[in-house]
Amino acid sequence: MTRSGKNPDRRVKTAKKRTASSTRWLERQLNDPYVKQAKADGYRSRAAYKLIELDDRFGLIRGSRRVVDLGIAPGGWAQVVRAKAPEADIVGIDLLPTEPIEGVTIFEMDFMDDAAPAALEEALGGPPDLVLSDMAANTVGHKQTDHLRTMALVEAGAWFATETLEKGGAFVAKVLAGGTDTELLTLLKQHFTSVKHAKPPASRKGSSEWYVVAQGFKGRE
């Protein structure tokens, strides 16, 4: 059986070499307008448009001077920041290797490593005014476990933000379906004047991801 408008030979070859889930992922990628647009615009991933859409709504990037990108690989978000705030200092971190980006300092290490926060702060040379987190834990196939592991990363990112941001700064993080856990939401509302959830159009409809956007950091006592 073939599908209208598709190359049957390529579909058969793909199905022989890949698992069913991998085949579905590949077909989705090939037919995703954001993937095609990312290639045309020179962005490394379709995720760049999630940040662009969040920025259009919340005004996060323009005027930023120091930005931290948690979970930087493959670099799409950092590319957006470079385009919208070319004078900003940008520091990123990820377990995965990330190809160099001009003007961006990249650490290939675990953000949960005790040494990571200090390395980021030192490289930035001052308090950030924007902390971005697109981090997500590797999934194990158990929904509750995957949620807990990813939210632990979000919480670590939030604590990093509240301990390093300059007054008035912002924190943006990917969360999963169900939004931000109560304890984390309480932390953010305690430290920021505005805390909202958003699902940018570039997030796939079937995806469980949302983003929490915390703005107006109140500062540290």
Side-chain angles (χ1 to χ4, degrees):
M1 180 182 294
T2 62
R3 296 183 181 181
S4 176
K6 294 198 176 182
N7 183 331
D9 292 332
R10 184 166 69 172
R11 185 169 184 270
V12 169
K13 289 178 181 178
T14 300
K16 285 181 178 179
K17 294 180 179 180
R18 297 175 183 272
T19 64
S21 61
S22 295
T23 301
R24 287 194 298 270
W25 178 88
L26 179 59
E27 290 182 348
R28 189 174 62 205
Q29 289 291 101
L30 292 172
N31 293 283
D32 189 326
Y34 282 101
V35 172
K36 296 175 183 177
Q37 192 63 43
K39 291 180 179 178
D41 292 343
Y43 289 122
R44 296 181 179 183
S45 69
R46 69 186 306 284
Y49 298 101
K50 300 174 190 178
L51 181 57
I52 289 171
E53 290 162 354
L54 289 171
D55 184 56
D56 287 345
R57 178 175 172 182
F58 296 102
L60 300 162
I61 300 172
R62 199 170 303 280
S64 295
R65 296 174 298 164
R66 290 180 290 272
V67 180
V68 176
D69 187 349
L70 305 177
I72 188 173
W77 278 28
Q79 287 180 301
V80 172
V81 176
R82 286 289 294 156
K84 294 199 169 197
E87 302 301 319
D89 292 320
I90 308 169
V91 178
I93 187 171
D94 205 298
L95 268 172
L96 299 174
T98 305
E99 289 295 320
I101 301 172
E102 184 179 357
V104 180
T105 301
I106 301 173
F107 291 95
E108 186 178 333
M109 65 186 299
D110 189 348
F111 176 64
M112 302 301 281
D113 188 311
D114 290 342
L120 293 170
E121 287 185 74
E122 183 178 353
L124 204 55
D129 43 33
L130 178 60
V131 174
L132 304 171
S133 172
D134 203 27
M135 293 189 294
N138 291 330
T139 58
V140 297
H142 184 268
K143 188 174 181 180
Q144 185 177 10
T145 300
D146 291 339
H147 183 274
L148 289 172
R149 292 176 66 191
T150 289
M151 291 310 299
L153 287 174
V154 176
E155 184 173 355
W159 277 110
F160 172 79
T162 59
E163 291 172 358
T164 61
L165 276 172
E166 70 176 12
K167 191 172 183 179
F171 172 65
V172 180
K174 176 163 63 183
V175 296
L176 299 179
T180 308
D181 293 349
T182 301
E183 185 175 338
L184 179 57
L185 193 59
T186 298
L187 170 70
L188 294 176
K189 287 184 174 181
Q190 179 183 352
H191 289 280
F192 295 86
T193 59
S194 171
V195 180
K196 297 180 179 180
H197 286 90
K199 189 175 181 68
S203 287
R204 293 189 174 98
K205 292 181 179 180
S207 170
S208 63
E209 70 179 16
W210 283 72
Y211 287 86
V212 61
V213 180
Q215 295 176 283
F217 181 61
K218 297 175 184 178
R220 290 169 289 280
E221 296 181 356

